[in-house]
Amino acid sequence: MSDLKATLERLYALALLGRQLGLERVQAVCDKLGNPERSFQAVHVAGTNGKGTVTAFVGSMARAAGKNVGVYTSPHLCRFAERINIGGAPIEDDKLVHYLNQVMDAGPELTFFEVATVAAFLAFRDARVELAVIEVGLGGRLDATNVIPPPRVAAITRVSYDHVEELGDSITKIATEKAGIIKSGSAVVLGKLHPDARAVAEQRIAQVGAREVPLGSPEPVPGAPLAYPRVALVGSNLAVAVTIGRELGFAPEVLAKGVEQTVWPGRNELLHRNGQELTLLDCAHNPDGAVALSHALDPSVLGDIESRKEIALVFGAINTKNWRAMLKRLETVAGHRVFVAPPVKKAVDPYEMSAAYTGEVAEGVPDALSRARQLVGQRGLVVVTGSIFLVGAARASLLNLPTDPAIDL
């Protein structure tokens, strides 16, 4: 058994603890390890949707500006190391093994996500990261990442219904949790928020003595088109990221270069094979994300795809998500549906989906991709969505990539 395999088995065993929101455990272990969370400046990004996209954009902009950049995101698509990115590349396996074991030894009481978070802080400290771009795992106020000191910039991308059991059953309650990342002295960038969410965020900004930065144009250089594929589809997320970049002092040409060099797999990612066989991977995993994807699948946006008969939806979800509402929002975009279970324990039975919406059932992800391609032919579009875990499995299958086990944490 490799060191990495053994270490990940040790880490994944902590999944039995589930999610335990709170900062005390993480802070105690950080104190024991010399407070690595204080070794870098940070951009902290929360939001129901779009926070990973904003994190990826800002990390790329900072690298284009010549910064030594760390990026922390979750969950992973294919390999666990993707979560801890330094200098534009996933952390090396030997370093990942070292940091994960160091944290688990120092804090046996920590949860899966808490261990990963502290490991990222240690990796960033030892790599002498100047700027860490950190995506919140869940909520914000009590998320493990929130032990960091006041960030240079705190951002909230969107607030909608998700994780209601942990965060609350209203926009106001959910926004209160996300606004917990706003700290004294930080600049704050707010995306296009629901009025109730904006009110909560602005109240927090006033309470702690932070400073709101007005949301600016998504164009780094006004009037100059960006060479970022499918840039129109990231809309307000791009505006949030570019506004953050401006606040960090990056020049317009640096912002543009950073956007154009951004790599964020599985998010509106269009894969080509042999010049045809287009497959769109999108990690939309809640109704809000499904709405954004439905706009992206409009024929006026897709170009060569002329009708929904040429689109097949490969869909799967986990049972904590409102998959019925997602399918409702995607009902008119595709002429074919293939339901399949993502490779995690909480997967919804695809036969339950086929009872609610017309579609076929596949026994595994490769079979689902193959059947969807048969339905639309070489020139049609296969769209894989509903769960990041499904998208990760599909991407690994299509590109023959190595994988670590998926986990809903």
Side-chain angles (χ1 to χ4, degrees):
M1 183 184 294
S2 71
D3 287 347
L4 179 60
K5 184 178 180 184
T7 298
L8 290 180
E9 286 184 359
R10 181 185 180 192
L11 175 65
Y12 278 52
L14 300 177
L16 294 174
L17 299 173
R19 293 188 175 100
Q20 295 182 19
L21 295 177
L23 305 182
E24 297 82 7
R25 294 178 302 277
V26 179
Q27 191 61 67
V29 175
C30 283
D31 292 346
K32 188 185 292 189
L33 295 173
N35 297 112
E37 78 283 8
R38 300 179 189 170
S39 65
F40 44 78
Q41 293 190 322
V43 172
H44 205 186
V45 186
T48 306
N49 287 321
K51 60 183 185 290
T53 300
V54 168
T55 300
F57 276 135
V58 174
S60 186
M61 291 173 191
R63 288 192 295 272
K67 300 282 188 186
N68 184 17
V69 183
V71 175
Y72 179 57
T73 57
S74 61
H76 57 274
L77 266 185
C78 296
R79 296 201 62 235
F80 185 91
E82 297 164 15
R83 297 174 182 236
I84 304 174
N85 184 298
I86 299 172
I91 189 171
E92 297 96 330
D93 286 355
D94 59 339
K95 292 182 179 177
L96 179 61
V97 167
H98 168 73
Y99 292 123
L100 289 175
N101 282 307
Q102 184 181 3
V103 177
M104 287 188 284
D105 290 344
E109 70 280 9
L110 296 185
T111 66
F112 175 99
F113 184 74
E114 291 168 345
V115 170
T117 300
V118 179
F121 294 161
L122 289 170
F124 292 165
R125 180 180 67 185
D126 291 355
R128 297 183 178 174
V129 159
E130 298 169 82
L131 182 73
V133 190
I134 298 172
E135 177 192 9
V136 167
L138 177 65
R141 182 175 66 93
L142 297 176
D143 185 72
T145 62
N146 206 29
V147 297
I148 62 172
R152 282 280 303 278
V153 185
I156 302 175
T157 57
R158 288 179 66 81
V159 176
S160 58
Y161 291 98
D162 204 1
H163 299 292
V164 293
E165 289 183 8
E166 295 96 342
L167 303 181
D169 58 0
S170 71
I171 291 294
T172 298
K173 290 177 182 176
I174 296 169
T176 299
E177 295 301 315
K178 296 187 187 302
I181 69 167
I182 298 171
K183 299 185 174 104
S184 176
S186 294
V188 182
V189 177
L190 303 177
K192 293 182 178 178
L193 301 183
H194 185 284
D196 292 349
R198 175 168 289 278
V200 167
E202 290 179 343
Q203 182 180 23
R204 172 74 178 179
I205 289 168
Q207 282 176 342
V208 303
R211 171 176 57 88
E212 183 176 356
V213 179
L215 188 64
S217 166
E219 295 181 338
V221 181
L226 285 162
Y228 182 77
R230 305 176 70 74
V231 73
L233 307 183
V234 293
S236 62
N237 294 329
L238 183 57
V240 170
V242 171
T243 303
I244 293 170
R246 290 194 189 102
E247 176 61 27
L248 294 171
F250 302 152
E253 58 273 17
V254 169
L255 298 176
K257 181 180 178 183
V259 171
E260 290 171 356
Q261 292 180 344
T262 298
V263 176
W264 192 222
R267 283 78 174 181
N268 272 308
E269 181 185 20
L270 196 59
L271 300 181
H272 300 252
R273 189 159 61 183
N274 304 323
Q276 295 179 327
E277 292 196 11
L278 297 180
T279 303
L280 179 69
L281 305 178
D282 190 73
C283 289
H285 58 272
N286 52 39
D288 194 52
V291 170
L293 177 59
S294 70
H295 295 324
L297 294 175
D298 187 279
S300 65
V301 176
L302 291 172
D304 291 342
I305 306 298
E306 295 178 359
S307 78
R308 70 191 195 102
K309 292 180 182 178
E310 297 178 81
I311 300 175
L313 194 67
V314 174
F315 188 91
I318 61 174
N319 59 22
T320 57
K321 303 295 182 178
N322 190 346
W323 59 267
R324 293 175 188 274
M326 292 179 67
L327 283 171
K328 181 69 176 175
R329 284 155 177 76
L330 295 169
E331 189 172 17
T332 62
V333 302
H336 313 275
R337 298 185 197 90
V338 180
F339 300 116
V340 65
V344 287
K345 290 181 180 177
K346 295 180 181 178
V348 176
D349 184 343
Y351 285 97
E352 186 179 349
M353 293 181 175
S354 69
Y357 282 89
T358 303
E360 302 183 20
V361 171
E363 294 305 314
V365 174
D367 289 344
L369 294 169
S370 176
R371 179 56 184 153
R373 177 57 58 197
Q374 285 180 340
L375 289 167
V376 295
Q378 283 196 322
R379 298 185 62 82
L381 175 68
V382 173
V383 179
V384 183
T385 193
S387 166
I388 189 172
F389 310 109
L390 173 59
V391 168
R395 194 171 195 272
S397 178
L398 290 165
L399 300 178
N400 194 28
L401 301 175
T403 60
D404 295 322
I407 185 166
D408 180 27
L409 290 168

